Amino acid sequence: MMHTTDARRLLQRKLDSLLRTGQILLESSADTSRIMRNMKRAAAYLGLPEKNLHIYIDYNMLMVNIHNTELSFSKFQRCDKHGINFTAISAVSKLTYRAANENYSLAQYEAALDEIANRKRNYSPLLTAVGAAFACGGFCIQFGCDWVAFLYATLAAFLGFRLRYRLIEFGINIYMAIACAAFASTVVAWLTTYLPASWTSTPLHPLLACALFIVPGVPLINFVDDMLDNNIQTGLVRAANTMMMMIAMAFGILFALKFCLWAFNFQPDIMGISMVPHHNYWEYAIAAAISGMGFSMIFNIPKRLLWVAAVGAAIAVCTRNLVSLQPDELCQFSLGWGGVLGSLAASVLISLIMLRMAHRVHAPMQILAISSVIPMVPGVLMYRSLYSFLMMTRTETQLVDMMSLAGINGINASLMIFCIALGVAVPSVFAKRYIGAKKQQRFFETLKAQRREDESFDWEQF
């Protein structure tokens, strides 16, 4: 029998490993349900009995507690370095299965966690900025701009993204960095309006798309997903963080427009810029694929999955447009049911496709689906809603008009985001018990077959 002191040390190491597993997932922007599933799977591999184990997940804190009839051990882990890292999420998910399949020792599991946590990102900062820039250009095409304006939006987004990266690297507050990046991108987009008018017929559209790399699409989807799974507290924190980012973005754009008005008497009708696209479906598909790959690079998706994100984004955007747009000469078969139903139909289709694709490419379904639906996130509607609130004046008529626009844009954006998140969560919502039960059964069968007696201990003896 293991000595009590050794048993306690081993228990502490296992709890540390369990917390490290959850920390990597939480700081990589995994949804709360995925964090809980992976931590429970890791706990089973580590030999920690579920009936005696309690896991608490907050946005900035993880806690685990294990107890018996006499003693109770609790450990906490602070989580501060939040970002988006789909490669880390995928790697941790695979690790929990691989540790059971290959009968990892605790030292091997700890080393694997260290490797995941310290792994360099798949894309350099410069390459990520290029991806983000083209993603914004792809958004601009979806709003109806031509391909010259696409290049203008790409240039403005690239410079803004690089500025934000440098400011955060320097230690500037993240919300201030967002505001500065939005300001810079908007000013550059405004400067492109002075280029020859014959080059583009949509010179103002880059103003709408140049800062959309800031829109926190993944936290928005995670927020809705957490609320649907009854993880209310974590979901509300994600929502508050998202709102702060959007407010910082709106302030940056607003100050840029005020600066242009004050210095050069430039006052574009932001709310009047048409967002109805007039392109062929192959152009939608190309623009969506560009946006899907660009945002996937920001999210640090594995390189081998970029093509999946591109194809998924093209399918999602074309499906949404087919359902939502009014029929015209270029889109004769469109149904005209509106953006809300279009977003829901597209995200449901993508989630079902990616549920099947996940087994072929060996990656979590959620990261494939989210990478595909991000180009549908209504960032411009969210921005226009906040812009309307910020531009309210004391004139009664203008006040009513701006409040009306803010409300309409805000409601439409909220409904679209909810439908996108609901569509991505469809497999979990409607088949969670069936899918989860099969995976859990296979995992525990493997664990039972591979478990080595010398790697376990009777923790009740501590």
Side-chain angles (χ1 to χ4, degrees):
M1 182 179 297
M2 185 177 294
H3 191 273
T4 301
T5 302
D6 293 335
R8 290 185 178 181
R9 289 175 180 172
L10 180 58
L11 178 61
Q12 290 177 356
R13 283 182 63 190
K14 292 191 173 188
L15 292 180
D16 287 338
S17 296
L18 182 59
L19 284 171
R20 189 79 184 281
T21 302
Q23 180 188 16
I24 293 173
L25 291 168
L26 183 56
E27 293 186 342
S28 299
S29 292
D31 62 272
T32 307
S33 295
R34 172 166 290 278
I35 298 171
M36 183 64 74
R37 287 197 305 271
N38 278 267
M39 290 186 71
K40 286 184 176 180
R41 206 155 55 226
Y45 151 72
L46 292 168
L48 303 174
E50 184 176 355
K51 65 179 182 179
N52 300 98
L53 184 69
H54 301 282
I55 301 173
Y56 175 78
I57 301 173
D58 193 18
Y59 187 71
N60 291 311
M61 183 68 69
L62 291 171
M63 183 187 79
V64 294
N65 170 268
I66 190 167
H67 63 89
N68 61 12
T69 55
E70 297 180 0
L71 298 175
S72 176
F73 279 83
S74 297
K75 292 187 77 71
F76 298 82
Q77 177 62 57
R78 183 79 181 173
C79 302
D80 293 321
K81 300 178 181 179
H82 292 280
I84 303 175
N85 191 338
F86 282 175
T87 294
I89 294 174
S90 179
V92 170
S93 181
K94 291 179 180 179
L95 174 61
T96 54
Y97 283 109
R98 191 170 66 249
N101 289 332
E102 300 180 13
N103 198 18
Y104 273 25
S105 66
L106 180 57
Q108 286 178 298
Y109 187 78
E110 292 171 334
L113 286 177
D114 288 337
E115 192 274 331
I116 294 172
N118 298 321
R119 183 183 300 171
K120 291 184 178 180
R121 294 182 71 88
N122 299 321
Y123 313 96
S124 67
L126 184 61
L127 186 59
T128 304
V130 172
F134 277 101
C136 292
F139 260 126
C140 202
I141 291 292
Q142 293 182 48
F143 304 149
C145 80
D146 54 33
W147 288 95
V148 174
F150 162 86
L151 295 176
Y152 294 169
T154 299
L155 173 63
F158 174 80
L159 296 175
F161 190 92
R162 288 296 293 169
L163 176 62
R164 186 185 69 164
Y165 174 80
R166 290 298 185 186
L167 290 175
I168 294 176
E169 187 179 46
F170 185 71
I172 299 295
N173 177 273
I174 184 173
Y175 303 117
M176 182 60 67
I178 287 173
C180 292
F183 178 91
S185 294
T186 304
V187 170
V188 174
W190 158 70
L191 289 173
T192 63
T193 62
Y194 285 90
L195 296 173
S198 60
W199 290 5
T200 176
S201 60
T202 54
L204 296 181
H205 279 69
L207 291 168
L208 294 175
C210 64
L212 291 184
F213 61 85
I214 296 171
V215 175
V218 173
L220 279 170
I221 293 175
N222 283 341
F223 150 64
V224 178
D225 192 52
D226 283 348
M227 300 299 283
L228 289 173
D229 281 332
N230 203 34
N231 297 306
I232 306 297
Q233 184 173 348
T234 305
L236 290 176
V237 176
R238 293 185 197 269
N241 185 50
T242 297
M243 183 57 65
M244 288 294 294
M245 291 182 182
M246 291 301 301
I247 291 174
M249 171 186 166
F251 266 109
I253 295 173
L254 176 62
F255 288 151
L257 295 176
K258 288 293 187 181
F259 168 77
C260 296
L261 174 62
W262 169 75
F264 303 97
N265 197 30
F266 176 78
Q267 189 174 12
D269 182 13
I270 293 293
M271 305 304 294
I273 299 176
S274 174
M275 294 193 304
V276 179
H278 298 286
H279 295 293
N280 292 300
Y281 268 91
W282 66 267
E283 292 179 282
Y284 294 144
I286 291 175
I290 292 172
S291 292
M293 287 192 295
F295 280 111
S296 296
M297 292 168 69
I298 298 175
F299 305 154
N300 196 40
I301 197 171
K303 293 180 180 179
R304 64 185 180 86
L305 300 178
L306 278 176
W307 72 271
V308 180
V311 173
I315 294 173
V317 169
C318 288
T319 302
R320 180 199 62 185
N321 290 347
L322 179 66
V323 175
S324 63
L325 296 181
Q326 295 294 331
D328 58 21
E329 294 181 359
L330 296 176
C331 307
Q332 298 179 6
F333 303 103
S334 299
L335 300 177
W337 290 355
V340 175
L341 289 178
S343 298
L344 178 61
S347 57
V348 168
L349 176 62
I350 285 299
S351 68
L352 296 176
I353 292 174
M354 294 306 171
L355 183 63
R356 189 70 177 173
M357 184 63 69
H359 298 288
R360 295 181 179 274
V361 299
H362 304 291
M365 186 277 290
Q366 284 82 0
I367 73 171
L368 300 178
I370 290 174
S371 298
S372 299
V373 302
I374 282 296
M376 296 196 302
V377 172
V380 169
L381 291 179
M382 298 164 62
Y383 154 59
R384 279 187 164 184
S385 179
L386 289 171
Y387 179 83
S388 299
F389 279 114
L390 295 174
M391 292 296 289
M392 287 182 183
T393 63
R394 296 181 181 180
T395 304
E396 184 176 350
T397 303
Q398 292 178 330
L399 179 62
V400 172
D401 290 342
M402 297 303 281
M403 287 186 65
S404 177
L405 288 172
I408 292 172
N409 287 320
I411 291 172
N412 283 334
S414 299
L415 288 174
M416 288 181 188
I417 292 168
F418 176 79
C419 287
I420 291 171
L422 180 62
V424 170
V426 158
S428 297
V429 171
F430 294 101
K432 184 175 183 179
R433 181 174 299 179
Y434 173 74
I435 296 174
K438 289 188 66 176
K439 288 184 176 179
Q440 187 178 30
Q441 182 181 0
R442 289 197 301 268
F443 175 79
F444 279 105
E445 287 176 354
T446 301
L447 192 64
K448 184 177 181 180
Q450 295 289 345
R451 176 69 69 186
R452 293 204 311 259
E453 291 299 327
D454 59 335
E455 290 293 335
S456 62
F457 70 99
D458 185 4
W459 76 274
E460 291 281 354
Q461 297 300 318
F462 75 81

Tab-separated table of all heavy atoms in Angstrom, residues 194-213:
chain	number	residue	atom	x	y	z
A	194	TYR	N	-9.759	59.091	-51.551
A	194	TYR	CA	-9.130	60.141	-52.352
A	194	TYR	C	-8.444	59.582	-53.593
A	194	TYR	O	-7.953	60.356	-54.422
A	194	TYR	CB	-8.118	60.917	-51.503
A	194	TYR	CG	-8.772	61.868	-50.531
A	194	TYR	CD1	-9.108	61.452	-49.244
A	194	TYR	CD2	-9.080	63.164	-50.901
A	194	TYR	CE1	-9.719	62.302	-48.352
A	194	TYR	CE2	-9.696	64.042	-50.015
A	194	TYR	CZ	-10.017	63.595	-48.739
A	194	TYR	OH	-10.626	64.450	-47.866
A	195	LEU	N	-8.400	58.270	-53.718
A	195	LEU	CA	-7.859	57.676	-54.927
A	195	LEU	C	-8.844	57.894	-56.080
A	195	LEU	O	-10.021	58.202	-55.846
A	195	LEU	CB	-7.597	56.188	-54.706
A	195	LEU	CG	-6.528	55.867	-53.657
A	195	LEU	CD1	-6.463	54.359	-53.401
A	195	LEU	CD2	-5.165	56.387	-54.080
A	196	PRO	N	-8.411	57.783	-57.330
A	196	PRO	CA	-9.289	58.083	-58.465
A	196	PRO	C	-10.638	57.385	-58.369
A	196	PRO	O	-10.714	56.166	-58.131
A	196	PRO	CB	-8.480	57.593	-59.668
A	196	PRO	CG	-7.066	57.742	-59.238
A	196	PRO	CD	-7.049	57.417	-57.769
A	197	ALA	N	-11.697	58.162	-58.559
A	197	ALA	CA	-13.056	57.633	-58.423
A	197	ALA	C	-13.363	56.579	-59.477
A	197	ALA	O	-14.242	55.728	-59.273
A	197	ALA	CB	-14.072	58.769	-58.518
A	198	SER	N	-12.637	56.593	-60.570
A	198	SER	CA	-12.896	55.624	-61.638
A	198	SER	C	-12.414	54.220	-61.273
A	198	SER	O	-12.771	53.250	-61.949
A	198	SER	CB	-12.206	56.078	-62.931
A	198	SER	OG	-10.794	56.190	-62.733
A	199	TRP	N	-11.629	54.101	-60.209
A	199	TRP	CA	-11.086	52.799	-59.840
A	199	TRP	C	-12.138	51.903	-59.181
A	199	TRP	O	-12.057	50.687	-59.263
A	199	TRP	CB	-9.892	52.961	-58.916
A	199	TRP	CG	-8.685	53.535	-59.605
A	199	TRP	CD1	-8.604	53.992	-60.893
A	199	TRP	CD2	-7.391	53.704	-59.041
A	199	TRP	NE1	-7.351	54.450	-61.164
A	199	TRP	CE2	-6.562	54.292	-60.042
A	199	TRP	CE3	-6.831	53.453	-57.795
A	199	TRP	CZ2	-5.233	54.600	-59.831
A	199	TRP	CZ3	-5.497	53.765	-57.573
A	199	TRP	CH2	-4.697	54.333	-58.585
A	200	THR	N	-13.060	52.495	-58.439
A	200	THR	CA	-14.074	51.709	-57.734
A	200	THR	C	-15.402	52.453	-57.720
A	200	THR	O	-15.431	53.685	-57.610
A	200	THR	CB	-13.638	51.403	-56.292
A	200	THR	OG1	-14.703	50.718	-55.607
A	200	THR	CG2	-13.303	52.664	-55.524
A	201	SER	N	-16.460	51.692	-57.802
A	201	SER	CA	-17.806	52.264	-57.722
A	201	SER	C	-18.366	52.203	-56.307
A	201	SER	O	-19.472	52.681	-56.054
A	201	SER	CB	-18.747	51.516	-58.680
A	201	SER	OG	-18.812	50.137	-58.332
A	202	THR	N	-17.610	51.607	-55.382
A	202	THR	CA	-18.064	51.484	-53.988
A	202	THR	C	-16.966	51.980	-53.045
A	202	THR	O	-16.430	51.205	-52.246
A	202	THR	CB	-18.417	50.019	-53.664
A	202	THR	OG1	-17.277	49.189	-53.991
A	202	THR	CG2	-19.614	49.556	-54.463
A	203	PRO	N	-16.628	53.263	-53.096
A	203	PRO	CA	-15.477	53.746	-52.306
A	203	PRO	C	-15.714	53.770	-50.802
A	203	PRO	O	-14.745	53.792	-50.037
A	203	PRO	CB	-15.274	55.165	-52.853
A	203	PRO	CG	-16.627	55.580	-53.334
A	203	PRO	CD	-17.253	54.332	-53.895
A	204	LEU	N	-16.982	53.780	-50.369
A	204	LEU	CA	-17.256	53.899	-48.939
A	204	LEU	C	-17.370	52.544	-48.234
A	204	LEU	O	-17.320	52.490	-46.999
A	204	LEU	CB	-18.550	54.699	-48.717
A	204	LEU	CG	-18.527	56.162	-49.173
A	204	LEU	CD1	-19.865	56.828	-48.876
A	204	LEU	CD2	-17.404	56.931	-48.488
A	205	HIS	N	-17.521	51.476	-48.965
A	205	HIS	CA	-17.703	50.170	-48.330
A	205	HIS	C	-16.521	49.744	-47.453
A	205	HIS	O	-16.737	49.081	-46.428
A	205	HIS	CB	-17.986	49.112	-49.398
A	205	HIS	CG	-19.410	49.100	-49.858
A	205	HIS	ND1	-19.949	50.127	-50.600
A	205	HIS	CD2	-20.409	48.195	-49.673
A	205	HIS	CE1	-21.212	49.852	-50.868
A	205	HIS	NE2	-21.524	48.688	-50.315
A	206	PRO	N	-15.271	50.074	-47.818
A	206	PRO	CA	-14.169	49.700	-46.905
A	206	PRO	C	-14.319	50.283	-45.507
A	206	PRO	O	-13.791	49.708	-44.535
A	206	PRO	CB	-12.932	50.261	-47.615
A	206	PRO	CG	-13.293	50.202	-49.060
A	206	PRO	CD	-14.752	50.559	-49.108
A	207	LEU	N	-15.038	51.399	-45.366
A	207	LEU	CA	-15.269	51.963	-44.034
A	207	LEU	C	-16.073	51.001	-43.159
A	207	LEU	O	-15.914	50.998	-41.933
A	207	LEU	CB	-16.013	53.296	-44.141
A	207	LEU	CG	-15.234	54.472	-44.748
A	207	LEU	CD1	-16.171	55.628	-45.058
A	207	LEU	CD2	-14.132	54.922	-43.799
A	208	LEU	N	-16.925	50.187	-43.770
A	208	LEU	CA	-17.741	49.250	-43.016
A	208	LEU	C	-16.975	47.991	-42.616
A	208	LEU	O	-17.269	47.379	-41.587
A	208	LEU	CB	-18.966	48.832	-43.842
A	208	LEU	CG	-20.001	49.905	-44.164
A	208	LEU	CD1	-21.069	49.338	-45.083
A	208	LEU	CD2	-20.633	50.446	-42.893
A	209	ALA	N	-16.020	47.577	-43.444
A	209	ALA	CA	-15.392	46.267	-43.260
A	209	ALA	C	-13.978	46.314	-42.720
A	209	ALA	O	-13.463	45.284	-42.281
A	209	ALA	CB	-15.393	45.520	-44.598
A	210	CYS	N	-13.337	47.484	-42.728
A	210	CYS	CA	-11.902	47.536	-42.443
A	210	CYS	C	-11.539	47.151	-41.017
A	210	CYS	O	-10.398	46.776	-40.753
A	210	CYS	CB	-11.359	48.937	-42.762
A	210	CYS	SG	-12.064	50.245	-41.735
A	211	ALA	N	-12.485	47.240	-40.077
A	211	ALA	CA	-12.181	46.938	-38.672
A	211	ALA	C	-12.887	45.693	-38.169
A	211	ALA	O	-12.904	45.434	-36.956
A	211	ALA	CB	-12.545	48.129	-37.785
A	212	LEU	N	-13.442	44.884	-39.064
A	212	LEU	CA	-14.223	43.741	-38.617
A	212	LEU	C	-13.374	42.596	-38.091
A	212	LEU	O	-13.911	41.622	-37.556
A	212	LEU	CB	-15.120	43.245	-39.760
A	212	LEU	CG	-16.261	44.193	-40.138
A	212	LEU	CD1	-17.135	43.565	-41.207
A	212	LEU	CD2	-17.106	44.553	-38.919
A	213	PHE	N	-12.052	42.669	-38.234
A	213	PHE	CA	-11.202	41.668	-37.585
A	213	PHE	C	-11.312	41.756	-36.074
A	213	PHE	O	-10.917	40.821	-35.357
A	213	PHE	CB	-9.740	41.857	-38.019
A	213	PHE	CG	-9.152	43.189	-37.646
A	213	PHE	CD1	-8.603	43.397	-36.396
A	213	PHE	CD2	-9.143	44.244	-38.550
A	213	PHE	CE1	-8.054	44.623	-36.041
A	213	PHE	CE2	-8.588	45.475	-38.218
A	213	PHE	CZ	-8.051	45.664	-36.952
